[in-house]
Amino acid sequence: MADGRDNHAESRAESQLKSRAESWDGDGSASVSRLAWIASGLGLLLFLGSVGVLGYEGVTRGNGAPAISAELEEVVPAGSRWLAHIRVGNDGGTTGAKVQVEGQLMAGAEALETSVAEFDYVPAGSHQRGGLFFDRDPRAHELRLRVLGYVEP
Amino acid sequence: MDIARPISMTRQRTLLHDETHFARALARAAAGAVIFALPLLMTMEMWELGFYMDRFRLALFILVTLPVLFGLSYFAGFEETFCWQDDLIDALSAFAVGFLMSAVLLSVFAVVHLDQPVPEIVGKIALQSVPASIGAMLARKQLGQRDDADKERRIRSSYPGELFLMGAGALFVGFNVAPTEEMILISYKMSPWHAVALAVLSLGVLHVFVYTVGFAGQENAGDDGFLSVFLRFSVAGYGIALLVSLYLLWTFERTAGLSMMELVTATVVLGFPSALGAATARLIV
């Protein structure tokens, strides 16, 4: 009985070996379907591509502190108030989290009105958009935008 | 050219080499990628990690994924494979499916859009493609029909193979919770005694699973006795689960600035789901 099982296993191993040899002996590439080649080729491309992009980014971006700046995009009426669209960009090497941006409407040295917006994340090399609401028309005053601070994510 | 082949081999070979069959396997893999990766695709921390986590750690994580996929293909795979070239094709196809499904879903969720910088887009999709491609690989076992090849696979599994499977299970289940803030939050709440209790609980649960699920190479458990099985599978498995947990915490930058005590506690906290993953790897894979 034990012998019989051994023989069976042997013949199966043999047939496996045979199948391996045959498929890769001659024209090995032809034995795998074209779809399998396309799928695995695409996989290899995506794999090397993403590792490459990430590696390149890691080498070139560095680990400098976030360098975050805010600029005014446009002012639009929002009901009885005004909305100043702002754009916050980060030219530094790392991401800033909880980035607070303050906008003040100035009359000379005096601040008439102050509004604050907080951005959850401003990734390195990226920019985010937000808005500040004011009771007065920001276009009639000087709007001073300041990035107050961030925390490391 | 097929005519000349003996019938005994063609049944298996055609599975990977027949176009329509492979197309069906790809569709099944895509379904697996979506189902297994869905919790992570809809986790906010994953999107954020995709752009702010250290680029080298993310690249290393993607690099580690390929051997894991290769090993899973050897043991499970969405196709039956009989040589390493087939396993490589399997692994790369699973990665392609995982990457593309992640890209599609993240785009539909508006997490990824074209005016973002390329590294940000690549980072978000690449991170998601890790669980998605593992899910694609597991799809065969979960969604496909079972057949005789499973018996073949059992023969393959050895003790190192079992350890690999436990590691892969720990990685997959641990990964599902590792990116969340809660891992660190829970460890802050726990006292050292809570951590000890959780470690003992993890090991106990792992052992119960190892015993009831019946790992290959453990058939003669009766002869080996409790201590041998406990040391060879449960303790070794928990060790692997803890190492995988530590690696995941490091990858997701949760280790920075933690004291040794906090680091150990966080590892034990993540070690619990990882141990469950290690224990149930046999069921999933």
Side-chain angles (χ1 to χ4, degrees), chain A residues 16 20 23 31-32 34 121, chain B residues 13 17 19 48 82 119 152:
Chain A
Q16 271 181 40
R20 237 177 268 185
S23 60
S31 72
V32 177
R34 206 181 322 147
Y121 291 95
Chain B
R13 295 295 302 178
H17 307 267
E19 298 256 328
E48 292 158 358
F82 290 93
E152 211 104 24

Side-chain angles (χ1 to χ4, degrees), chain A residues 58-77:
Chain A
V59 171
T60 55
R61 197 165 77 185
N63 286 315
I68 302 167
S69 57
E71 60 182 67
L72 179 68
E73 286 205 304
E74 60 168 338
V75 178
V76 293

Side-chain angles (χ1 to χ4, degrees), chain A residues 12 16 19-20 23-24 31-36 39-40 42-43 46-47 54 57-59 95 121 123 125-126, chain B residues 9 13 17 19 22-23 48 51-52 55-56 58 62 82-83 85 92-93 95-96 99-100 117 119-120 152 155:
Chain A
R12 188 164 47 192
Q16 271 181 40
S19 82
R20 237 177 268 185
S23 60
W24 291 96
S31 72
V32 177
S33 82
R34 206 181 322 147
L35 191 60
S40 55
L42 188 66
L46 291 172
F47 176 76
L54 293 169
E57 179 76 354
V59 171
T95 296
Y121 291 95
S126 177
Chain B
M9 53 148 289
R13 295 295 302 178
H17 307 267
E19 298 256 328
F22 192 78
E48 292 158 358
F51 60 72
Y52 78 67
R55 300 289 99 176
F56 290 124
L58 181 51
I62 309 296
F82 290 93
C83 60
Q85 289 94 336
L92 288 172
S93 303
F95 189 81
F99 194 96
L100 292 178
E120 187 180 334
E152 211 104 24
I155 297 167

Side-chain angles (χ1 to χ4, degrees), chain B:
Chain B
M1 54 180 242
D2 275 306
I3 304 161
R5 287 185 184 170
I7 298 159
S8 62
M9 53 148 289
T10 44
R11 193 190 75 81
Q12 261 111 20
R13 295 295 302 178
T14 49
L15 294 179
L16 186 65
H17 307 267
D18 177 281
E19 298 256 328
T20 47
H21 188 94
F22 192 78
R24 207 175 304 137
L26 280 182
R28 211 157 55 204
V34 173
I35 290 171
F36 283 98
L38 207 53
L40 285 170
L41 279 162
M42 291 180 156
T43 298
M44 189 170 68
E45 285 92 338
M46 282 289 284
W47 315 333
E48 292 158 358
L49 281 164
F51 60 72
Y52 78 67
M53 72 186 278
D54 186 273
R55 300 289 99 176
F56 290 124
R57 291 183 198 188
L58 181 51
L60 179 66
F61 198 42
I62 309 296
L63 281 175
V64 166
T65 305
L66 201 61
V68 171
L69 289 175
F70 186 85
L72 282 176
S73 167
Y74 186 80
F75 291 108
F78 57 78
E79 282 302 327
E80 292 158 58
T81 56
F82 290 93
C83 60
W84 68 267
Q85 289 94 336
D86 285 1
D87 286 322
L88 190 62
I89 287 174
D90 234 16
L92 288 172
S93 303
F95 189 81
V97 168
F99 194 96
L100 292 178
M101 292 318 287
S102 305
V104 167
L105 284 172
L106 287 179
S107 305
V108 170
F109 296 158
V111 174
V112 160
H113 36 91
L114 284 174
D115 58 349
Q116 289 166 338
V118 173
E120 187 180 334
I121 297 175
V122 171
K124 283 177 182 171
I125 297 175
L127 183 58
Q128 293 285 0
S129 65
V130 174
S133 52
I134 293 177
M137 196 55 97
L138 298 182
R140 178 190 165 267
K141 182 61 178 286
Q142 293 300 309
L143 306 173
Q145 66 277 43
R146 305 184 58 163
D147 48 32
D148 296 342
D150 279 343
K151 279 180 206 146
E152 211 104 24
R153 232 150 278 281
R154 291 272 180 273
I155 297 167
R156 273 186 193 183
S157 27
S158 54
Y159 182 61
E162 292 298 338
L163 292 186
F164 168 80
L165 279 187
M166 287 205 264
L171 181 73
F172 186 71
V173 178
F175 190 0
N176 265 281
V177 288
T180 61
E181 305 258 348
E182 281 82 350
M183 286 308 106
I184 297 300
L185 187 65
I186 291 171
S187 66
Y188 286 164
K189 287 175 177 288
M190 287 165 67
S191 72
W193 294 113
H194 285 99
V196 170
L198 185 59
V200 171
L201 183 68
S202 307
L203 192 54
V205 170
L206 182 54
H207 185 69
V208 169
F209 267 103
V210 164
Y211 230 94
T212 49
V213 171
F215 277 62
Q218 190 218 319
E219 280 87 36
N220 51 354
D223 310 335
D224 285 4
F226 169 82
L227 199 63
S228 172
V229 173
F230 184 71
L231 288 177
R232 279 182 341 119
F233 288 97
S234 310
V235 173
Y238 190 52
I240 289 171
L242 286 180
L243 284 177
V244 167
S245 303
L246 187 60
Y247 173 66
L248 284 172
L249 287 173
W250 177 79
T251 298
F252 294 143
E253 303 191 43
R254 300 281 190 223
T255 53
L258 290 186
S259 72
M260 187 51 98
M261 186 62 220
E262 286 164 337
L263 181 61
V264 170
T265 312
T267 309
V268 168
V269 169
L270 184 55
F272 181 61
S274 298
L276 285 178
T280 51
R282 231 322 137 217
L283 296 175
I284 301 169
V285 176

